[in-house]
Amino acid sequence: EALLIAQYFIGIGIGVHYVGITLQEIRRDVLTATVFVLYLAVLTIGFTALITHLGIAAPLEAFLALAPGGQAEMMVLAIVAGADLSFVVVHHLTRMLLVILGAPIAARWFARDNDD
């Protein structure tokens, strides 16, 4: 219940920033988000199939470990689904670490390519 209440108030905090937005802007944003979610879902399913085919992890654990989303939400889903929580947690922490360490390197690399 505490998680639901926290997400409710976070949603309110985010929602108040949409005051004054037009219906056309909402349609564009929702369409863009839907396309992005479908793209990520296809990628996740593809990599889940590859990981499962290689025998690295069971389908449920592979999907939850690779699915885009917040770490807290994936942990709750892993607990509810009965998946191997440690596998999912370690994967998400590793992904966050790689993004945090790799983003500055990638930014410098792309900036150097744009200077040429």
Side-chain angles (χ1 to χ4, degrees):
E1 290 84 19
L3 184 61
L4 290 174
I5 292 169
Q7 288 181 332
Y8 176 76
F9 284 109
I10 290 170
I12 289 174
I14 293 170
V16 297
H17 294 289
Y18 288 97
V19 172
I21 194 168
T22 65
L23 187 57
Q24 183 180 7
E25 290 172 318
I26 290 173
R27 283 186 189 140
R28 184 192 66 221
D29 291 346
V30 168
L31 178 63
T32 303
T34 302
V35 169
F36 187 64
V37 165
L38 291 173
Y39 174 72
L40 290 177
V42 168
L43 280 175
T44 302
I45 291 168
F47 278 105
T48 298
L50 177 67
I51 296 296
T52 303
H53 178 71
L54 294 174
I56 297 172
L60 179 62
E61 282 82 9
F63 181 79
L64 290 174
L66 297 170
Q71 182 181 1
E73 288 78 11
M74 292 301 116
M75 299 316 107
V76 169
L77 284 174
I79 291 168
V80 169
D84 183 2
L85 188 60
S86 60
F87 181 82
V88 177
V89 169
V90 168
H91 184 275
H92 280 277
L93 290 175
T94 304
R95 182 177 68 181
M96 288 185 343
L97 182 68
L98 288 174
V99 168
I100 290 169
L101 295 177
I105 296 167
R108 273 189 246 119
W109 185 61
F110 284 119
R112 186 177 62 229
D113 285 350
N114 288 337
D115 291 339
D116 293 338

